[in-house]
Amino acid sequence: MDFESIIRNIPDFPKPGIQFKDITTLLKNAEAFHEVIDIWKSRYTGKNIDAIVGAEARGFIFGAALAYAMGLPFIPVRKPGKLPAETIRENFELEYGTDSLEIHIDALKKGDRVVLVDDLLATGGTMAAICRMMERLGAEIEEIVFLIELVPLKGRERLAPYPVYALVQTMLA
Ligand code: AMP
């Protein structure tokens, strides 16, 4: 399936120069959404995965669907102040300023094998912060999976040596 043509590109959103990838057009195409999850499910079945980890907010949509399809736990990584029990936090750089993400300290245990999920890989800053959380908790990263990778932004290099898999690789970033 040509997922790239199903993801809507909105130029200059939320500000001039940004090519915003709107995945809502894929979510409302039930066949496409189903196929994304099925492809990922076949890729990770039999790999001894213990949990799927997804980033707020769009990573929840794809990550939770994958976890459900595979019969695995889903672990949310959230914006600060949302998770009620004890958490660890990682900060990361944005174009202007910094942001943070948190995960419950008891969400994973040492040696758990995880797949990390988000909708889109841009600079890789968000996912690099999640990788550092995994390292602190002692989880093993099987692979990092995205629907779409903005190739010119070189996020894949930033996440090395962890393997990255993206269904769509676009030069339009
Ligand atoms: P980054 O940390 O730079 O890899 O940015 C990744 C996060 O920002 C993901 O959670 C995306 O949902 C969001 N994001 C970054 N750039 C875009 C874009 N051009 N279109 C849609 N979402 C984006």
Side-chain angles (χ1 to χ4, degrees), residues 69-81:
M70 295 189 71
L72 289 173
F74 176 72
I75 310 298
V77 173
R78 297 213 62 181
K79 292 176 179 154

Side-chain angles (χ1 to χ4, degrees), residues 50 106-113 137-140:
D50 295 297
D106 62 358
L108 293 164
K109 57 185 192 314
K110 199 170 169 16
D112 278 349
R113 285 198 74 73
L137 295 178
E140 307 279 333

